[in-house]
């Protein structure tokens, strides 16, 4: 019984991966790098 | 009645832990080699596979790989050990007579984990995370599990043929290396990578840290494969360290002569190549042979890296050149250098009067290359039906850390 339940749980996760978004919404702008944020560091 | 040995059990469990740390270590190794915009996604490949295959192995992977042979064909285990049903705390003499069966199972689990993680270096910086997840699960089930059964499973056809693979030169390294080449070919080149152009590693200290963790864990990988705290484990331990060191020295020297500088990344690549090549041989050869294997593998793998550079295949982190070719060198070298003076339960190689062993090793190598390559191609095509394998060009240019995970590795604040 426990084996069946654990199998169901694992396959439920796998099924979720199919329907979840492939990638998060693309951010409008990427964060600055250190050198961009602190020009003197470059 | 088989009796559990406290010493053997302690060593096998400790070895399982050592092999476990190799996979996050691999994540660091690969993570340092990619550009900073892709480091998280690369580290995540290894970490996620550790979680994914740990469950897959318990539920059905171990049964397919090591379960009772299905119909006596030597191809795959049956499903009678599904969910570790019947895999308990008493030893199974077919695999390890002095440790609990579950200790052997969890040791093997760590091998099943790292093998698909090795492939991730080939498709770094461009594979969609969801496609990676599905590919890894299918690859573990339909490539790794059968191949492990062929070589190590009770009744497996390559094992019955007499193929020697002490810790996974064929099962782990050829399979992952060849699959990496196929995956890189199917996915195509990174849009930001032109042939012949170097893509600079973003964090070389991270590469060295990852290499050190791999080397450390490899003692469990190889010496643990003796499955006992005995002289054979010591032999494998010594050979592992010796081959890694010799290969690192050799690669460093070749790259120094070739490019004029003693490359740090080159030294780590050489060490890994040496570790790969000694993997199938570790429990069968002398320390002197391990020096020769270390020398040989770096020469061959360095050439393979140059060959890959000329090919139109963007194996991003040279998984094929180091693991596929290095594993092949190790498997064939086992057929040359194996001696029953080291392992009385094995066979001599060509240099000890048994040319047939080299033929058997060659058959195992060819079988692993063909099976891994064809199956990987089919799995990638199947996954692509459901999920595009690659990210979009915009996502690739942005980097996978942001486009796939909405996270950045190094916060500016």
């Amino acid at each position: 019984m426990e084996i069946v339940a654990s199998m169901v749980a694992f396959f439920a996760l796998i099924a979720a991966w199919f329907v979840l978004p492939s990638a998060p919404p693309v951010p409008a702008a990427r964060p600055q790098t250190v050198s961009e944020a602190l020009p003197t560091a470059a | 009645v088989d009796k559990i040995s406290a010493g053997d059990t302690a060593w096998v469990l400790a070895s399982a832990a050592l092999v476990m740390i190799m996979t996050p270590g691999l994540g660091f190794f690969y993570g340092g080699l990619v550009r900073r915009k892709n480091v998280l996604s690369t580290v995540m490949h290894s970490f996620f596979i550790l979680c994914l295959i740990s469950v897959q192995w318990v539920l059905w992977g171990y049964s397919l790989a090591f379960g009772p042979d299905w119909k006596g064909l030597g191809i795959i285990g049956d499903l009678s050990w599904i969910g570790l049903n019947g895999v308990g705390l008493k030893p199974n003499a077919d695999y390890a007579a002095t440790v609990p069966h579950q200790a052997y199972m969890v040791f093997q689990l760590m091998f099943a984990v790292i093998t698909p993680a090795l492939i991730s270096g080939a498709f770094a910086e461009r594979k969609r995370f969801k496609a990676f997840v599905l590919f890894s699960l299918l690859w573990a089930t339909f490539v790794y599990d059968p191949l492990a059964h062929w070589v190590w499973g009770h009744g497996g056809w390559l094992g019955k043929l007499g193929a020697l693979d002490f810790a996974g030169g064929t099962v782990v390294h050829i399979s992952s290396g060849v699959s990496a080449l196929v995956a890189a070919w199917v996915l195509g080149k990174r849009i930001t990578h032109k042939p012949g152009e170097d893509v600079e590693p973003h964090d070389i200290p991270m590469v060295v840290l990852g290499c050190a963790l791999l080397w450390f864990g490899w003692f469990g990988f190889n010496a643990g494969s003796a499955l006992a705290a005995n002289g054979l484990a010591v032999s494998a331990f010594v050979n592992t360290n010796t081959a890694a060191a010799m290969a690192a020295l050799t690669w460093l020297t070749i790259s120094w002569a070739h490019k004029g500088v003693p490359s740090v990344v080159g030294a780590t690549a050489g060490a890994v190549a040496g570790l790969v090549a000694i993997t199938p041989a570790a429990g069968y050869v002398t320390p002197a042979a391990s020096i020769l294997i270390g020398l040989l593998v770096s020469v061959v793998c360095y050439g393979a890296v140059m060959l890959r550079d000329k090919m139109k295949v963007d194996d991003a982190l040279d998984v094929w050149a180091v693991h596929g070719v290095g594993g092949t060198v190790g498997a064939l070298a086992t057929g040359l250098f194996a001696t029953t003076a080291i392992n009385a339960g094995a066979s001599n190689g060509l240099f000890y009067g048994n040319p047939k062993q080299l033929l058997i090793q060659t058959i195992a190598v060819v079988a692993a290359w063909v099976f891994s390559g064809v199956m990987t191609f089919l799995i990638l095509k199947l996954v692509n039906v459901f999920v595009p394998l690659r990210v979009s060009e915009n996502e690739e240019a942005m980097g996978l850390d942001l486009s796939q995970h909405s996270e950045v590795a190094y916060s500016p604040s």
Side-chain angles (χ1 to χ4, degrees):
Chain A
M1 188 61 196
E2 288 175 359
I3 291 174
V4 173
S6 59
M7 197 77 78
V8 169
F10 190 49
F11 276 105
L13 288 178
I14 295 169
W17 298 334
F18 269 98
V19 298
L20 286 168
S22 285
V26 175
R30 63 174 175 79
Q32 288 181 305
T33 63
V34 173
S35 59
E36 289 167 342
L38 303 169
T40 52
Chain B
V1 176
D2 296 314
K3 190 177 177 191
I4 290 174
S5 159
D8 292 351
T9 304
W11 174 234
V12 170
L13 287 179
S15 293
L18 283 167
V19 182
M20 177 269 167
I21 204 65
M22 289 174 70
T23 300
L26 180 75
F28 277 98
F29 185 68
Y30 283 171
L33 286 169
V34 299
R35 287 164 291 183
R36 58 187 297 145
K37 64 184 179 180
N38 296 312
V39 56
L40 284 182
S41 71
T42 304
V43 170
M44 180 63 163
H45 285 160
S46 290
F47 192 81
F48 184 87
I49 283 180
L50 171 61
C51 308
L52 179 73
I53 304 304
S54 288
V55 180
Q56 182 266 2
W57 191 250
V58 166
L59 287 179
W60 67 81
Y62 184 69
S63 190
L64 292 177
F66 292 93
D69 194 62
W70 183 66
K71 294 188 181 297
L73 298 173
I75 301 296
I76 198 163
D78 67 19
L79 291 174
S80 57
W81 291 355
I82 204 162
L84 300 187
N85 181 40
V87 179
L89 302 181
K90 291 180 180 170
N92 182 319
D94 288 338
Y95 295 120
T98 59
V99 305
H101 193 178
Q102 282 191 13
Y104 178 78
M105 181 282 300
V106 80
F107 179 63
Q108 288 295 340
L109 182 156
M110 301 307 172
F111 287 65
V113 163
I114 196 169
T115 309
L118 289 168
I119 305 170
S120 67
F123 49 67
E125 303 194 307
R126 61 200 188 283
K127 192 165 187 177
R128 189 177 298 279
F129 183 71
K130 184 188 279 191
F132 153 78
V133 169
L134 296 174
F135 169 77
S136 299
L137 188 64
L138 292 171
W139 193 90
T141 301
F142 295 107
V143 180
Y144 183 84
D145 295 345
L147 194 54
H149 187 79
W150 292 6
V151 179
W152 293 330
H154 188 62
W157 74 274
L158 281 175
K160 283 197 291 191
L161 192 65
L164 298 178
D165 188 355
F166 194 70
T170 310
V171 177
V172 174
H173 295 292
I174 291 179
S175 68
S176 59
V178 173
S179 298
L181 187 69
V182 172
W185 174 60
V186 171
L187 260 76
K189 288 192 287 287
R190 289 165 285 178
I191 55 170
T192 48
H193 179 59
K194 297 170 186 166
E197 173 191 326
D198 283 337
V199 178
E200 296 297 326
H202 93 284
D203 189 341
I204 292 176
M206 183 188 282
V207 175
V208 178
L209 171 66
C211 176
L213 285 170
L214 284 169
W215 191 330
F216 178 69
W218 227 294
F219 293 127
F221 204 90
N222 288 358
S225 291
L227 300 170
N230 59 14
L232 186 60
V234 174
S235 178
F237 196 114
V238 170
N239 287 338
T240 299
N241 196 64
T242 307
M246 186 63 186
L249 295 174
T250 304
W251 194 297
L252 181 83
T253 306
I254 296 171
S255 69
W256 200 343
H258 180 212
K259 296 186 174 174
V261 289
S263 162
V264 177
V265 172
T268 63
V272 172
L275 291 162
V276 167
I278 200 61
T279 293
Y284 304 121
V285 303
T286 64
S290 72
I291 291 178
L292 297 175
I293 290 172
L295 173 77
L296 179 66
V297 74
S298 274
V299 172
V300 176
C301 288
Y302 196 91
V305 170
M306 291 199 294
L307 175 65
R308 194 272 309 150
D309 206 35
K310 293 184 185 304
M311 294 157 61
K312 296 184 183 302
V313 179
D314 183 14
D315 178 357
L317 307 181
D318 278 319
V319 183
W320 170 76
V322 174
H323 294 273
V325 175
T328 301
V329 169
L332 297 177
T334 304
L336 298 176
F337 292 106
T339 169
T340 53
I342 297 295
N343 190 333
S347 308
N348 284 320
L350 175 68
F351 294 159
Y352 292 85
N354 181 22
K356 186 183 170 194
Q357 191 59 43
L358 184 59
L359 175 65
I360 293 171
Q361 296 301 109
T362 305
I363 292 170
V365 165
V366 171
W369 271 72
V370 172
F371 180 68
S372 304
V374 171
M375 289 298 289
T376 298
F377 178 81
L378 295 175
I379 291 170
L380 285 167
K381 291 298 181 185
L382 177 66
V383 170
N384 198 42
V385 170
F386 297 100
V387 186
L389 295 172
R390 286 187 71 131
V391 296
S392 69
E393 287 195 8
N394 183 37
E395 290 170 323
E396 187 176 339
M398 176 183 293
L400 270 57
D401 293 1
L402 265 180
S403 72
Q404 300 297 290
H405 305 287
S406 273
E407 293 171 300
V408 289
Y410 308 106
S411 170
S413 58

